[in-house]
Amino acid sequence: MCRHLGWLGTPVSVSSLVLDPPQGLRVQSYAPRRQKHGLMNADGWGVGFFSDLAGDVTPRRWRSPVPLWGDTSFDSVAPVLRSHCVVAAVRSATVGMPLEASATAPFTDGRWLLSHNGVVDRTVLPMLPTAESVCDSAVLAATIFDQGVDALGDTIVEVGTADPLARLNIMAANGFRLIATAWGDTLSILRRADGVVLASEPYDDDPDWEDIPDRHLVEVTADGVVLTALNRSKGS
Ligand code: GLN
């Protein structure tokens, strides 16, 4: 994925996060402001969220191989999809990767939603049968799920050490926690009165957006926001 966004807070409409902001993911699909790799994000998009229905813990997803700006049916339903926890992404496919919905974030293990903004050499990753696609991001997602999302920081340092050219910005959420890494690409945070947004780039010009420094992990829970430096493995 080339641009992604996560939300944890009170229930809000998916359109208010993804479609409506003046520089939100819809606009970022054709005119991102801070993207360093690729010009636009026209190779599909996806959104995942946790519903507020009692007892429903299943991550719900809508993924598509068409550009977000052309997904007019989603326009119609997004204003009434409400969630307290959302992960969304627009994709600029890495050369050689498949163009299909299954290669598009967010990926899931049935509990977590996970998006990868970046690129990684698949030969440094285990080829797990649980990967949703042969796309590098799907293989990385399967690796992170296999090692446990709690170990995300360690996994990113390990993979980044095995592939020094990798860019490993991750966005993951399970309904209670929103976790992201900055490793090679931009990441910003907006602390709102009703919740926290993490995004590859600000969706508007609110001066409250702050940049997350590179090689850091940020975790959002109901208790607040914790920022942790990710250090390279010893010997690298
Ligand atoms: N490598 C991933 C893909 O091909 C993500 C690409 C990106 O972040 N630009 O989908």
Side-chain angles (χ1 to χ4, degrees), residues 62-199:
W62 177 303
R63 298 186 296 167
S64 165
V66 308
L68 175 52
W69 75 76
D71 205 333
T72 48
S73 292
F74 183 73
D75 257 35
S76 159
V77 300
V80 297
L81 296 176
R82 294 181 67 80
S83 174
H84 64 284
C85 185
V86 178
V87 173
V90 291
R91 181 176 185 217
S92 168
T94 299
V95 173
M97 296 302 152
L99 293 173
E100 58 197 21
S102 60
T104 304
F107 305 101
T108 189
D109 63 350
R111 290 176 48 220
W112 286 87
L113 294 165
L114 189 145
S115 169
H116 168 226
N117 163 206
V119 62
V120 59
D121 177 354
R122 287 171 290 184
T123 63
V124 307
L125 301 173
M127 284 309 275
L128 297 166
T130 45
E132 291 182 56
S133 159
V134 297
C135 176
D136 60 347
S137 298
V139 177
L140 178 61
T143 304
I144 293 167
F145 293 143
D146 188 58
Q147 300 201 1
V149 179
D150 283 333
L152 177 64
D154 291 341
T155 304
I156 292 305
V157 170
E158 259 170 50
V159 174
T161 304
D163 175 9
L165 298 179
R167 298 190 301 275
L168 302 167
N169 281 43
I170 301 293
M171 184 78 64
N174 69 351
F176 306 96
R177 299 162 66 196
L178 175 65
I179 310 174
T181 57
W183 188 284
D185 211 328
T186 55
L187 180 67
S188 299
I189 184 169
L190 179 66
R191 298 162 203 250
R192 301 187 349 192
D194 57 347
V196 176
V197 185
L198 295 174

Side-chain angles (χ1 to χ4, degrees), residues 3-26:
R3 302 279 86 181
H4 55 204
L5 170 143
W7 167 255
L8 187 70
T10 60
V12 296
S13 75
V14 171
S15 55
S16 74
L17 293 171
V18 173
L19 301 179
D20 305 341
Q23 304 293 335
L25 284 182
R26 188 205 315 249

